[in-house]
């Protein structure tokens, strides 16, 4: 149950990431692979599942292998359980990912404090939720004090920093993944 091995993989995101890493257009990949631009677009958007032959052509055009693309693919299933870890008896500051793999959303749980002097800035929007304790977040020149159950929403590009103001604080940060182009060009900073 919950095992991804029997599920097909969404290879589109892996193809798009590889193409963008190489700074190639769909037209160039089309020329190299012999596949049409519309079909390549459908593959990247998971609207079409390429045959093994087509996937090998795409991989060759991207100077990789079909095996590598499949290894970088996302599981097609929509359910994945991440179990809570055993609590640390010393309650040392730590961070744990709440979403496995390379997806459109990332979520992390911060326990305790972290480097409060470190300024952060993310490409895309994020939501910060205080599960336990309290934090102070400095963003856009203002300080916000959040307690248990409070949330703060930051649009992409906002510089901020945060610190726990109560021992045993747990902060959940949910964000649109950095590889997603979720911000319009005019709103970037």
């Amino acid at each position: 149950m919950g095992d991804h091995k029997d599920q097909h993989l969404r290879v589109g995101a892996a193809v798009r990431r590889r193409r963008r890493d190489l700074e190639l257009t769909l037209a160039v990949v089309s020329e190299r692979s012999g596949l049409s631009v519309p079909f390549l677009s459908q593959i990247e958007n998971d609207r079409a599942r390429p045959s093994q032959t087509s996937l090998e052509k795409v991989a060759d055009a991207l100077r990789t292998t079909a095996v590598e693309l499949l290894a970088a693919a996302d599981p097609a299933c929509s359910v994945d359980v991440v179990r809570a870890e055993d609590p640390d008896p010393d309650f040392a500051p730590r961070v744990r990912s709440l979403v496995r793999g390379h997806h459109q959303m990332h979520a992390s749980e911060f326990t305790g404090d972290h480097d409060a002097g470190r300024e952060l800035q993310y490409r895309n929007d994020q939501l910060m939720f205080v599960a336990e304790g309290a934090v102070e977040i400095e963003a856009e020149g203002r300080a916000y004090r959040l307690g248990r159950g409070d949330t703060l929403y930051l649009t992409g590009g906002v510089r901020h920093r945060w610190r726990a103001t109560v021992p045993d604080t747990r902060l959940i940060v949910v964000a649109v993944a950095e590889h997603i182009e979720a911000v319009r060009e005019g709103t970037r900073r």
Side-chain angles (χ1 to χ4, degrees):
M1 187 178 255
D3 191 353
H4 301 309
K5 291 179 180 157
D6 296 330
Q7 312 251 353
H8 88 268
L9 295 174
R10 295 182 306 183
V11 73
V15 170
R16 184 182 311 106
R17 283 190 299 271
R18 177 69 181 174
R19 177 179 62 79
R20 287 181 176 170
D21 287 347
L22 295 173
E23 299 180 354
L24 299 175
T25 64
L26 282 172
V28 170
V29 176
S30 172
E31 185 178 305
R32 289 181 180 180
S33 66
L35 302 171
S36 72
V37 170
F39 181 60
L40 291 169
S41 177
Q42 288 176 341
I43 291 172
E44 285 192 0
N45 291 297
D46 289 314
R47 291 190 194 119
R49 283 179 55 186
S51 66
Q52 185 63 34
T53 302
S54 293
L55 186 59
E56 288 171 2
K57 288 179 180 181
V58 170
D60 287 344
L62 297 174
R63 292 181 171 84
T64 188
T65 65
V67 171
E68 288 295 320
L69 287 175
L70 288 171
D74 295 334
C77 69
S78 61
V79 177
D80 186 26
V81 175
V82 177
R83 300 281 179 202
E85 299 173 352
D86 290 330
D88 184 352
D90 297 328
F91 208 78
R94 64 186 167 108
V95 61
R96 119 181 137 97
S97 180
L98 301 176
V99 178
R100 280 188 282 244
H102 195 78
H103 297 286
Q104 295 182 6
M105 181 187 76
H106 286 280
S108 300
E109 175 187 50
F110 294 86
T111 305
D113 210 347
H114 79 283
D115 180 4
R118 182 173 168 221
E119 187 174 68
L120 306 166
Q121 182 181 28
Y122 296 99
R123 175 180 182 175
N124 294 318
D125 297 0
Q126 67 175 338
L127 177 82
M128 302 173 89
F129 170 74
V130 182
E132 292 291 332
V135 298
E136 185 175 276
I137 301 169
E138 181 186 319
E140 295 293 309
R142 292 185 57 197
Y144 301 88
R145 295 175 195 265
L146 302 176
R148 182 177 179 212
D150 291 342
T151 62
L152 179 80
Y153 183 86
L154 299 168
T155 58
V158 172
R159 293 181 186 277
H160 63 284
R161 65 186 81 211
W162 68 270
R163 67 182 184 86
T165 58
V166 173
D168 302 344
T169 292
R170 285 189 318 122
L171 179 69
I172 309 295
V173 178
V174 180
V176 176
E178 291 291 304
H179 70 276
I180 302 296
E181 191 78 32
V183 183
R184 285 177 280 145
E185 281 300 315
T187 61
R188 283 197 186 152
R189 296 178 184 195

